[in-house]
Amino acid sequence: MLIYQNPLPTSHFLILRNRKSAKHLEMKNDNPNQSRREFLHKIGEIGGTAAVYQAMVSMGLLVSGEAQAGSTRLRWNERSAQLGNITKPTVAILGAGISGLCAAYELKKAGFPFYLIEARDRPGGRSHTIRSGSVVNETDSQQVCSFDSSQELYFNAGPARISQTHSNLLSYCRELSVPMQALVNDNRGAFIHNSAAFGGMPVRAREVITAMRGNIAELLAKAVNSGALDSDIGFSEQSAVVNVLRDYGDLNVGNFFNGSTRGGLTDGTGGLTPGSSKTSLNLDDFFFNTNVPFTPNFSESINQSATMMQPVGGMDKIASAFSNEVNEEAYYGVEITGIYRAGNRVRIEGSANGASGALEIDYAIIAIPPSVLRNIPNDFSPAAANAITQVQYANPTKIAFQSPRFWESEDNIYGGISWTDPEILQIWYPSGGFAQQDGIIVGSYLFGGRHATNFQNLSIKERIEFALAGGEKVHPQYRQNLRAGLSVAWAKVPYSLGGWSVSTPSTLLQSPDGPFLFAGDHLTYLQGWQEGAVISSLNALNNLLDIMGAS
């Protein structure tokens, strides 16, 4: 039974009520053949979650980290379903970011009484999509977004992409009917710029990639043909290796790289006349003394490679879909001021609109980032408190502008990222609304470090000028087109105070601390990703069942 002590009056909570619930599509399978879902369900009936896990790995439906995460969700689903109609303990979920929302959604499905408490006046935490009229608060400033009001004119200030390998998050998107679309993360028609390379001029990514592959393939082919690799490659295999290298680098019949149409065509060719390759870039211009050669490898990582995804209309559609399902249990605008033990239970203290109060519950799932949590009075165990203190956070920054889509009409760039000097690093082009009049261009995205620190310490007006000055090195028409600049420095955003953890995940915090359970992407190796937030939430829920003594 829930015990209130100096309870916060309901009127002092900012409660989301009467929000339209997400609709679920009822799918009917008219195929008489057994589906993979049915097959896996039957395996689960016989062998439980472990058998389903192994089957999914064998069928190629889960790989490496996906398999572990999928197993965590399957385990929760099976165990929570076995609880039946027993009296369940009351849980407070502190923080309505993706971790907290996921925990709330699953607890509601399993029939747990719970409270979802969030300091902000919105769900999502760092998953913040900014549109016309949105307010961005930092510790020393406030901005109001002046974009025009349009479906495609939004800025994902926090997470902005989802890997196709993030199966748990994408599964929730399907379950909650969140429409998805492809996000162009890697575009070979976008620019790579470095002031120390190419005479300071931007070049297309395809030119860099083609020159690197061609020259490296030529060097390796020479090594094979000269016998330098005879101890590693048998004579009978050398021809096959050279053939692969010739195709990889688009070498000529003599195994030399003399340019390729892969890097682009000479102006005026490729239409009524045969395509003629542009003059290839010289490796000496960029390969040995700049970071340019490493830039194309960004999209090779498992979490960045195509196909990348995004919700239609903004990343906050996921948080909104979750929150629609738990709006009756959600309290927004409540700042947590204390987290304490009350015997073997939990006492939560908080304030809202100048009123303070407390409540007691059986357990607390704490989905507040350690950068904020360490400053909230608590009586966690010394080991847990120390682990929270040790978590260090990146200080990413972003800035976005509204602009006519000159990058499409003049530069033929449709989505993707251009790379430039480390002071602003990336320019993002929208992956939706192609050929419309205006779009939102991200004028800089810095992952953290000294350049991000420099950017976050600028005034709001100085940030805009800084981004314009850096961006016009890539797009000379930048300044005359961009307007309505809005920036976010996550280290200065209240209730976040950072972007993502850069520390090794704490195994201690992955386990319960008495009645306290912890959740957040910082507890996974998918730090900064919403998939990590979901996985940690499912882990906390399984921990809850463990301390309840559930099978």
Side-chain angles (χ1 to χ4, degrees), residues 507-548:
T507 55
L508 181 70
L509 297 178
Q510 290 172 351
S511 300
D513 178 25
F516 305 123
L517 305 109
F518 301 96
D521 59 281
H522 59 280
L523 297 178
T524 75
Y525 285 88
L526 286 165
Q527 295 162 332
W529 294 97
Q530 294 171 102
E531 178 77 353
V534 166
I535 291 171
S536 74
S537 179
L538 294 167
N539 178 68
L541 291 172
N542 276 302
N543 286 339
L544 173 62
L545 296 184
D546 289 341
I547 58 180
M548 286 172 55

Side-chain angles (χ1 to χ4, degrees), residues 27 286 468 533:
M27 305 299 293
F286 70 92
L468 291 174

Side-chain angles (χ1 to χ4, degrees), residues 245-263:
L245 291 170
R246 186 181 298 123
D247 181 69
Y248 177 79
D250 202 14
L251 308 182
N252 63 20
V253 293
N255 298 324
F256 294 103
F257 177 67
N258 292 325
S260 169
T261 55
R262 297 175 183 176

Side-chain angles (χ1 to χ4, degrees), residues 9-22:
T10 301
S11 61
H12 288 161
F13 288 104
L14 296 179
I15 309 176
L16 297 185
R17 300 292 190 190
N18 300 320
R19 297 182 64 184
K20 186 175 180 181
S21 298

Side-chain angles (χ1 to χ4, degrees), residues 40 43-58 62 67 70-72 74-75 78:
L40 291 169
I43 289 178
E45 289 179 340
I46 298 170
T49 57
V52 174
Y53 160 74
Q54 292 295 339
M56 294 182 77
V57 173
S58 299
L62 291 174
S71 178
T72 302
L74 286 170
R75 184 166 174 259
E78 184 177 80

Side-chain angles (χ1 to χ4, degrees), residues 314-523:
M315 191 60 74
D316 66 348
K317 298 296 184 182
I318 299 174
S320 294
F322 271 125
S323 67
N324 285 341
E325 299 296 321
V326 296
N327 56 0
E328 293 298 321
E329 297 83 4
Y331 296 81
Y332 294 87
V334 181
E335 185 170 343
I336 302 301
T337 58
I339 307 170
Y340 301 107
R341 300 172 195 263
N344 60 354
R345 306 180 78 226
V346 178
R347 175 184 171 89
I348 303 296
E349 298 180 355
S351 63
N353 293 339
S356 61
L359 61 86
E360 283 190 16
I361 65 281
D362 295 304
Y363 301 103
I365 296 177
I366 301 168
I368 299 172
S371 51
V372 176
L373 182 60
R374 63 172 61 108
N375 298 318
I376 298 175
N378 63 76
D379 61 358
F380 303 144
S381 68
N386 181 65
I388 291 166
T389 302
Q390 295 303 312
V391 181
Q392 300 299 310
Y393 268 70
N395 60 323
T397 62
K398 287 185 179 180
I399 186 169
F401 300 86
Q402 181 175 336
S403 172
R405 293 176 178 250
F406 65 85
W407 55 88
E408 295 176 4
S409 61
E410 299 177 30
D411 294 320
N412 294 315
I413 297 175
Y414 293 85
I417 301 170
S418 283
W419 294 76
T420 182
D421 292 329
E423 288 78 12
I424 66 169
L425 192 62
Q426 291 186 337
I427 296 172
W428 284 41
Y429 311 99
S431 292
F434 294 143
Q436 294 184 8
Q437 178 62 35
D438 276 16
I440 301 301
I441 185 170
V442 176
S444 172
Y445 178 21
L446 298 168
F447 307 146
R450 62 186 179 90
H451 294 300
T453 299
N454 175 68
F455 188 86
Q456 75 185 28
N457 289 338
L458 298 174
S459 69
I460 300 303
K461 288 185 177 180
E462 288 171 338
R463 291 178 188 176
I464 291 173
E465 174 56 32
F466 191 83
L468 291 174
E472 63 188 356
K473 297 177 183 178
V474 179
H475 294 289
Q477 65 274 62
Y478 217 58
R479 191 179 294 271
Q480 68 196 54
N481 285 287
L482 272 58
R483 64 181 180 87
L486 185 141
S487 59
V488 177
W490 281 102
K492 301 175 77 172
V493 174
Y495 310 120
S496 290
L497 301 182
W500 55 81
S501 168
V502 293
S503 302
T504 301
S506 169
T507 55
L508 181 70
L509 297 178
Q510 290 172 351
S511 300
D513 178 25
F516 305 123
L517 305 109
F518 301 96
D521 59 281
H522 59 280
L523 297 178

Side-chain angles (χ1 to χ4, degrees), residues 74-346:
L74 286 170
R75 184 166 174 259
W76 158 256
N77 287 340
E78 184 177 80
R79 298 173 73 198
S80 61
Q82 294 174 355
L83 294 174
N85 294 322
I86 68 169
T87 301
K88 300 177 178 69
T90 302
V91 181
I93 304 165
L94 309 184
I98 297 300
S99 285
L101 289 166
C102 177
Y105 176 65
E106 290 291 353
L107 287 177
K108 185 161 188 175
K109 288 196 299 180
F112 281 75
F114 68 92
Y115 296 85
L116 176 62
I117 304 172
E118 167 59 44
R120 295 176 172 90
D121 61 0
R122 59 169 180 83
R126 285 166 291 164
S127 183
H128 190 192
T129 300
I130 296 170
R131 303 177 180 83
S132 177
S134 296
V135 177
V136 175
N137 288 311
E138 295 184 11
T139 53
D140 56 1
S141 66
Q142 183 180 85
Q143 302 167 76
V144 179
C145 180
S146 59
F147 299 160
D148 293 343
S149 181
S150 174
Q151 180 180 352
E152 292 294 338
L153 298 180
Y154 64 85
F155 165 37
N156 288 321
R161 48 195 164 194
I162 301 169
S163 168
Q164 63 183 333
T165 65
H166 293 176
S167 55
N168 289 279
L169 183 64
L170 290 171
S171 176
Y172 280 118
C173 291
R174 286 191 295 272
E175 190 171 319
L176 296 168
S177 300
V178 179
M180 305 296 290
Q181 66 185 69
L183 177 136
V184 184
N185 198 39
D186 179 29
N187 182 350
R188 296 192 177 187
F191 288 117
I192 294 178
H193 166 262
N194 185 298
S195 292
F198 320 119
M201 299 298 293
V203 300
R204 302 285 181 171
R206 66 170 66 96
E207 296 181 73
V208 173
I209 294 168
T210 300
M212 287 174 55
R213 286 175 57 162
N215 281 279
I216 290 172
E218 178 182 318
L219 287 171
L220 284 173
K222 287 179 180 178
V224 172
N225 288 329
S226 69
L229 300 178
D230 283 356
S231 61
D232 299 292
I233 305 173
F235 181 77
S236 62
E237 300 167 335
Q238 291 182 6
S239 177
V241 171
V242 171
N243 286 338
V244 170
L245 291 170
R246 186 181 298 123
D247 181 69
Y248 177 79
D250 202 14
L251 308 182
N252 63 20
V253 293
N255 298 324
F256 294 103
F257 177 67
N258 292 325
S260 169
T261 55
R262 297 175 183 176
L265 301 178
T266 302
D267 290 344
T269 69
L272 298 176
T273 60
S276 175
S277 61
K278 294 180 64 174
T279 301
S280 178
L281 298 175
N282 189 331
L283 286 190
D284 290 339
D285 289 340
F286 70 92
F287 194 84
F288 301 103
N289 298 309
T290 74
N291 64 354
V292 169
F294 302 98
T295 299
N297 299 331
F298 177 79
S299 61
E300 296 295 328
S301 76
I302 190 169
N303 291 316
Q304 298 287 358
S305 58
T307 299
M308 301 293 289
M309 309 292 289
Q310 65 177 1
V312 175
M315 191 60 74
D316 66 348
K317 298 296 184 182
I318 299 174
S320 294
F322 271 125
S323 67
N324 285 341
E325 299 296 321
V326 296
N327 56 0
E328 293 298 321
E329 297 83 4
Y331 296 81
Y332 294 87
V334 181
E335 185 170 343
I336 302 301
T337 58
I339 307 170
Y340 301 107
R341 300 172 195 263
N344 60 354
R345 306 180 78 226
V346 178

